Short mmCIF file of all heavy atoms in Angstrom, two decimals:
data_model
loop_
_atom_site.label_atom_id
_atom_site.label_comp_id
_atom_site.label_asym_id
_atom_site.label_seq_id
_atom_site.Cartn_x
_atom_site.Cartn_y
_atom_site.Cartn_z
N ILE A 1 64.94 62.46 123.94
CA ILE A 1 65.41 63.01 122.67
C ILE A 1 65.97 64.41 122.90
O ILE A 1 65.37 65.23 123.58
CB ILE A 1 64.24 63.08 121.65
CG1 ILE A 1 63.78 61.66 121.28
CG2 ILE A 1 64.62 63.85 120.40
CD1 ILE A 1 62.48 61.63 120.49
N ALA A 2 67.14 64.68 122.31
CA ALA A 2 67.71 66.03 122.34
C ALA A 2 67.08 66.87 121.23
O ALA A 2 66.71 66.34 120.18
CB ALA A 2 69.22 65.97 122.14
N ILE A 3 66.94 68.18 121.47
CA ILE A 3 66.42 69.08 120.43
C ILE A 3 67.42 70.22 120.22
O ILE A 3 67.84 70.89 121.17
CB ILE A 3 65.05 69.67 120.77
CG1 ILE A 3 64.05 68.59 121.14
CG2 ILE A 3 64.52 70.46 119.56
CD1 ILE A 3 62.63 69.11 121.37
N LEU A 4 67.75 70.44 118.96
CA LEU A 4 68.63 71.53 118.55
C LEU A 4 67.77 72.65 117.95
O LEU A 4 66.95 72.40 117.07
CB LEU A 4 69.63 71.01 117.50
CG LEU A 4 70.49 72.04 116.78
CD1 LEU A 4 71.43 72.75 117.75
CD2 LEU A 4 71.29 71.36 115.67
N PHE A 5 67.98 73.87 118.45
CA PHE A 5 67.24 75.05 117.97
C PHE A 5 68.23 76.03 117.36
O PHE A 5 68.80 76.86 118.10
CB PHE A 5 66.50 75.73 119.12
CG PHE A 5 65.48 74.88 119.83
CD1 PHE A 5 65.84 74.14 120.96
CD2 PHE A 5 64.16 74.82 119.40
CE1 PHE A 5 64.90 73.36 121.64
CE2 PHE A 5 63.21 74.05 120.07
CZ PHE A 5 63.59 73.32 121.19
N PRO A 6 68.48 75.99 116.06
CA PRO A 6 69.36 76.98 115.44
C PRO A 6 68.66 78.32 115.25
O PRO A 6 67.43 78.43 115.40
CB PRO A 6 69.69 76.37 114.07
CG PRO A 6 69.10 74.98 114.07
CD PRO A 6 68.02 74.99 115.10
N ASP A 7 69.43 79.34 114.88
CA ASP A 7 68.88 80.63 114.50
C ASP A 7 68.30 80.53 113.08
O ASP A 7 68.44 79.50 112.41
CB ASP A 7 69.97 81.70 114.58
CG ASP A 7 69.43 83.11 114.75
OD1 ASP A 7 68.21 83.32 114.56
OD2 ASP A 7 70.23 84.01 115.07
N THR A 8 67.66 81.61 112.62
CA THR A 8 66.99 81.58 111.32
C THR A 8 67.78 82.26 110.21
O THR A 8 67.37 82.25 109.05
CB THR A 8 65.62 82.27 111.41
OG1 THR A 8 65.80 83.59 111.95
CG2 THR A 8 64.67 81.49 112.32
N SER A 9 68.91 82.88 110.55
CA SER A 9 69.75 83.55 109.55
C SER A 9 71.07 83.92 110.21
O SER A 9 71.19 83.89 111.43
CB SER A 9 69.07 84.83 109.05
OG SER A 9 69.19 85.87 110.02
N PRO A 10 72.06 84.32 109.40
CA PRO A 10 73.23 84.98 110.00
C PRO A 10 72.82 86.33 110.57
O PRO A 10 71.79 86.90 110.18
CB PRO A 10 74.19 85.16 108.81
CG PRO A 10 73.37 85.01 107.59
CD PRO A 10 72.15 84.23 107.94
N ARG A 11 73.60 86.84 111.51
CA ARG A 11 73.33 88.15 112.09
C ARG A 11 74.63 88.95 112.17
O ARG A 11 75.66 88.42 112.57
CB ARG A 11 72.71 88.01 113.49
CG ARG A 11 71.32 87.38 113.41
CD ARG A 11 70.61 87.25 114.73
NE ARG A 11 69.43 86.41 114.53
CZ ARG A 11 68.20 86.88 114.26
NH1 ARG A 11 68.00 88.17 114.15
NH2 ARG A 11 67.19 86.04 114.08
N GLY A 12 74.53 90.21 111.77
CA GLY A 12 75.69 91.10 111.86
C GLY A 12 76.55 91.15 110.62
O GLY A 12 77.66 91.68 110.67
N ALA A 13 76.06 90.64 109.50
CA ALA A 13 76.85 90.66 108.26
C ALA A 13 77.02 92.08 107.73
O ALA A 13 78.01 92.39 107.06
CB ALA A 13 76.19 89.78 107.20
N GLY A 14 76.06 92.94 108.01
CA GLY A 14 76.15 94.33 107.57
C GLY A 14 75.94 94.51 106.07
O GLY A 14 76.40 95.50 105.49
N ILE A 15 75.24 93.57 105.44
CA ILE A 15 74.97 93.68 104.00
C ILE A 15 73.87 94.70 103.77
O ILE A 15 72.85 94.71 104.46
CB ILE A 15 74.55 92.30 103.43
CG1 ILE A 15 75.65 91.27 103.67
CG2 ILE A 15 74.23 92.40 101.94
CD1 ILE A 15 75.22 89.84 103.40
N GLU A 16 74.09 95.55 102.78
CA GLU A 16 73.09 96.58 102.47
C GLU A 16 71.74 95.93 102.17
O GLU A 16 71.65 95.01 101.35
CB GLU A 16 73.55 97.39 101.26
CG GLU A 16 72.61 98.53 100.90
CD GLU A 16 72.91 99.12 99.52
OE1 GLU A 16 73.88 98.67 98.88
OE2 GLU A 16 72.16 100.00 99.11
N GLY A 17 70.70 96.38 102.85
CA GLY A 17 69.35 95.89 102.60
C GLY A 17 68.93 94.70 103.44
O GLY A 17 67.76 94.30 103.38
N GLU A 18 69.83 94.15 104.25
CA GLU A 18 69.47 92.90 104.94
C GLU A 18 68.50 93.11 106.11
O GLU A 18 67.92 92.15 106.61
CB GLU A 18 70.71 92.12 105.41
CG GLU A 18 71.44 92.71 106.58
CD GLU A 18 72.52 91.79 107.15
OE1 GLU A 18 72.58 90.62 106.76
OE2 GLU A 18 73.29 92.27 108.00
N THR A 19 68.32 94.35 106.53
CA THR A 19 67.35 94.62 107.60
C THR A 19 66.18 95.49 107.11
O THR A 19 65.43 96.02 107.92
CB THR A 19 68.03 95.31 108.80
OG1 THR A 19 68.63 96.54 108.35
CG2 THR A 19 69.10 94.44 109.42
N ASP A 20 66.02 95.60 105.81
CA ASP A 20 64.97 96.48 105.27
C ASP A 20 63.57 95.88 105.38
O ASP A 20 62.59 96.63 105.43
CB ASP A 20 65.25 96.80 103.79
CG ASP A 20 66.42 97.77 103.63
OD1 ASP A 20 66.96 98.22 104.66
OD2 ASP A 20 66.80 98.04 102.47
N SER A 21 63.46 94.56 105.37
CA SER A 21 62.12 93.94 105.43
C SER A 21 62.16 92.71 106.32
O SER A 21 63.21 92.10 106.52
CB SER A 21 61.63 93.57 104.03
OG SER A 21 62.53 92.70 103.38
N TRP A 22 61.01 92.36 106.85
CA TRP A 22 60.94 91.26 107.82
C TRP A 22 60.98 89.89 107.15
O TRP A 22 61.25 88.89 107.81
CB TRP A 22 59.67 91.38 108.67
CG TRP A 22 58.39 91.24 107.90
CD1 TRP A 22 57.72 92.23 107.23
CD2 TRP A 22 57.61 90.05 107.72
NE1 TRP A 22 56.59 91.73 106.64
CE2 TRP A 22 56.49 90.41 106.92
CE3 TRP A 22 57.75 88.73 108.15
CZ2 TRP A 22 55.52 89.48 106.55
CZ3 TRP A 22 56.77 87.81 107.77
CH2 TRP A 22 55.68 88.18 106.99
N ASP A 23 60.72 89.82 105.85
CA ASP A 23 60.65 88.52 105.17
C ASP A 23 61.82 88.26 104.22
O ASP A 23 61.75 87.40 103.35
CB ASP A 23 59.31 88.37 104.44
CG ASP A 23 59.04 89.49 103.44
OD1 ASP A 23 59.89 90.41 103.32
OD2 ASP A 23 57.97 89.46 102.78
N PHE A 24 62.90 89.02 104.40
CA PHE A 24 64.12 88.79 103.62
C PHE A 24 65.30 89.34 104.39
O PHE A 24 65.22 90.41 104.99
CB PHE A 24 64.02 89.46 102.24
CG PHE A 24 65.22 89.19 101.35
CD1 PHE A 24 65.27 88.03 100.60
CD2 PHE A 24 66.28 90.08 101.30
CE1 PHE A 24 66.38 87.76 99.80
CE2 PHE A 24 67.39 89.81 100.51
CZ PHE A 24 67.44 88.66 99.75
N GLY A 25 66.42 88.61 104.37
CA GLY A 25 67.61 89.08 105.09
C GLY A 25 67.63 88.55 106.52
O GLY A 25 67.37 87.37 106.77
N VAL A 26 67.93 89.43 107.47
CA VAL A 26 68.05 89.01 108.87
C VAL A 26 66.73 88.42 109.36
O VAL A 26 65.66 88.99 109.17
CB VAL A 26 68.47 90.20 109.75
CG1 VAL A 26 68.44 89.80 111.23
CG2 VAL A 26 69.86 90.68 109.37
N GLY A 27 66.81 87.22 109.97
CA GLY A 27 65.62 86.52 110.44
C GLY A 27 64.87 85.79 109.35
O GLY A 27 63.79 85.26 109.59
N ALA A 28 65.45 85.74 108.16
CA ALA A 28 64.75 85.16 107.01
C ALA A 28 65.72 84.47 106.05
O ALA A 28 65.70 84.70 104.85
CB ALA A 28 63.96 86.24 106.27
N GLY A 29 66.58 83.61 106.59
CA GLY A 29 67.63 82.97 105.78
C GLY A 29 67.15 81.89 104.84
O GLY A 29 67.89 81.44 103.97
N PHE A 30 65.93 81.41 105.02
CA PHE A 30 65.27 80.45 104.12
C PHE A 30 65.98 79.09 103.98
O PHE A 30 65.64 78.30 103.11
CB PHE A 30 64.99 81.06 102.74
CG PHE A 30 63.57 81.53 102.61
CD1 PHE A 30 63.20 82.77 103.11
CD2 PHE A 30 62.60 80.73 102.06
CE1 PHE A 30 61.88 83.21 103.05
CE2 PHE A 30 61.27 81.15 101.97
CZ PHE A 30 60.91 82.39 102.47
#
């Protein structure tokens, strides 16, 4: 079986606030 491992969010969008907390924004695309 093949396994695909995507990332958890976009990175580098530069949206204000996207790196302010660990549970929202970068690394937290839901």
Side-chain angles (χ1 to χ4, degrees):
I1 293 170
I3 308 185
L4 171 64
F5 300 92
D7 203 346
T8 54
S9 76
R11 294 183 191 266
I15 301 168
E16 183 193 357
E18 73 170 350
T19 58
D20 288 357
S21 57
W22 64 275
D23 56 359
F24 183 84
V26 173
F30 261 82

